[in-house]
Amino acid sequence: MLLRVVAGFVGLATAHLAGVRISELIGLRFGDVDLGAEAHVKVFRAKGDKHREVRTGRRLIGILGPYLAEVRHQINGAPESEVLLVDHQALGRRGGFPDDAMRAVQNSFWAEWSKGTDYECVRWHPHIARHSYATALLEQGVALSAVQHLLGHAHA
């Protein structure tokens, strides 16, 4: 159970720090992530059957690196799976998190994190992570058209 929670946290961080949709997140493959000098996440099979590449920052590398090096291989069946975020309870379904399971894990993180804050009554949904990614980029001065492109919007 703990490994599933860790994978769920890594998923939430990836959604927030790379701006991916939940369907893209659960579809990420081990080989879609490069944590080298030009660190990036390749998003295949995105909405509208598009592909894109999103550069990642040090924060995501700091989360994905230890997950890949120290955690992922401990999950039953992970070494045989191509899926980045492995759910041992779903190994019969290619090893990846089912959409509803990833949402449930993210909901529990939100509920725990928001206790006692102004956000406690805000209803969580995975798209909030994607919106916060876009907002952070805009606040850093990234052009709207560049943000739209990173998010994979059709009219970017």
Side-chain angles (χ1 to χ4, degrees):
M1 179 62 175
L2 179 60
L3 295 176
R4 186 178 211 208
V5 171
V6 171
F9 170 75
V10 171
L12 180 59
T14 303
H16 171 65
L17 297 171
V20 295
R21 296 172 178 92
I22 195 160
S23 61
E24 297 166 347
L25 175 67
I26 62 177
L28 286 177
R29 303 287 184 253
F30 189 67
D32 295 343
V33 176
D34 179 356
L35 300 179
E38 298 281 329
H40 61 272
V41 174
K42 295 176 189 169
V43 181
F44 298 101
R45 302 160 301 278
K47 188 174 181 179
D49 204 27
K50 293 185 231 164
H51 309 300
R52 70 180 188 281
E53 191 172 302
V54 180
R55 290 193 183 265
T56 59
R58 291 185 308 265
R59 289 173 52 203
L60 185 56
I61 292 169
I63 293 168
L64 280 175
Y67 168 75
L68 293 173
E70 302 167 21
V71 177
R72 187 180 182 279
H73 70 277
Q74 295 181 44
I75 301 172
N76 292 336
E80 298 83 32
S81 176
E82 294 180 17
V83 178
L84 178 69
L85 300 172
V86 180
D87 178 12
H88 72 282
Q89 294 178 1
L91 286 172
R93 294 186 297 271
R94 300 179 320 278
F97 270 87
D99 184 291
D100 58 338
M102 180 58 77
R103 288 175 194 274
V105 170
Q106 291 183 359
N107 285 342
S108 67
F109 278 118
W110 179 264
E112 190 60 36
W113 175 84
S114 66
K115 279 183 186 171
T117 72
D118 292 340
Y119 299 102
E120 190 169 15
C121 61
V122 175
R123 185 171 174 269
W124 167 260
H125 59 88
H127 225 66
I128 288 176
R130 189 165 156 83
H131 285 257
S132 63
Y133 167 77
T135 300
L137 290 175
L138 292 170
E139 288 175 349
Q140 293 172 27
V142 176
L144 178 60
S145 60
V147 174
Q148 290 171 322
H149 177 75
L150 289 169
L151 293 172
H153 285 194
H155 302 294

